[in-house]
Amino acid sequence: MIVHPDPPRAAYQEAHRRYHTQAHIDDCLARLAAVDGLGDRERDLLVQAIWWHDAVYDPLRPDNEARSADLAREVLAAAEAPETDIAEVERLILLTKGHTVETGDRLGALMVSIDLSILGAAPEAYAAYARAIREEYAAVPDEIYRAGRARVLESFLAAPVLFPDPAFAKALDAQARRNLAAEIAELTRA
């Protein structure tokens, strides 16, 4: 990718955001910067996908990733990015909805692993993340939030692979599973 449109910084400053902020993007970009073995184009595609993957974020809508991908397409097309690059950025963004990746998809594995890396954070950082997510869903009554959040976390915990990139899995999987189990226990406590 040769073009570098202005990233959607203003989106990450929206008042309703508590976790899906500039700090999340900065963390994702730092994690990407630490990844070895990527070509310039691969790295650039991931940078663009990271910047745009949460550009549209409304916790009460199910189509944030699709809307973010559409926005990325619009901005990248206006900047005259190659169609193949636009399509790849869109694809990478859309992977952050279901967090599943086909075998052999290195860029997809990195995108998903980077996006989910907070799950494997130290317990204090994970707890801050969990509180921030709850704040983003402040409009949802507690009983409904707790049940829904527990279901989401249980699906992550049940997955044989949380982080499809092997290096992320090695570094983060065990702590992520401890964090998820602890939050599920908290959410389901009567």
Side-chain angles (χ1 to χ4, degrees):
M1 180 168 291
I2 297 168
V3 293
H4 296 275
D6 288 337
R9 292 181 196 282
Y12 296 104
Q13 306 305 317
E14 294 171 332
H16 67 279
R17 294 176 185 248
R18 296 295 183 274
Y19 172 71
H20 294 89
T21 64
Q22 184 66 51
H24 170 56
I25 299 304
D26 292 345
D27 181 63
C28 289
L29 292 170
R31 289 185 180 276
L32 174 60
V35 173
D36 292 326
L38 289 172
D40 290 343
R41 179 176 178 270
E42 293 171 315
R43 190 171 300 280
D44 198 30
L45 290 166
L46 284 164
V47 165
Q48 291 300 318
I50 286 168
W51 266 112
W52 292 98
H53 84 281
D54 286 327
V56 177
Y57 181 71
D58 177 345
L60 303 181
R61 290 190 60 140
D63 62 346
N64 291 307
E65 295 83 2
R67 292 171 66 216
S68 293
D70 289 346
L71 182 58
R73 168 170 280 287
E74 180 182 317
V75 171
L76 292 170
E80 299 182 358
E83 175 56 33
T84 55
D85 291 351
I86 296 170
E88 180 65 355
V89 169
E90 277 185 305
R91 184 186 77 80
L92 292 168
I93 292 168
L94 293 172
L95 288 175
T96 66
K97 180 168 179 79
H99 296 103
T100 57
V101 179
E102 296 291 325
T103 302
D105 180 2
R106 179 155 193 241
L107 294 187
L110 284 167
M111 183 69 188
V112 167
S113 297
I114 288 168
D115 188 39
L116 292 180
S117 62
I118 188 63
L119 300 180
E124 304 79 31
Y126 181 88
Y129 149 77
R131 284 190 303 274
I133 293 295
R134 178 61 182 117
E135 289 172 17
E136 287 182 342
Y137 282 85
V140 178
D142 199 50
E143 183 177 306
I144 294 169
Y145 175 81
R146 292 167 72 90
R149 177 80 174 157
R151 276 192 306 275
V152 168
L153 298 181
E154 286 165 350
S155 71
F156 278 126
L157 194 56
V161 175
L162 282 172
F163 304 100
D165 178 78
F168 278 85
K170 182 178 180 184
L172 301 175
D173 188 81
Q175 183 61 51
R177 292 183 184 280
R178 287 191 294 273
N179 289 337
L180 292 168
E183 186 180 358
I184 291 166
E186 178 70 24
L187 290 165
T188 57
R189 191 171 26 162

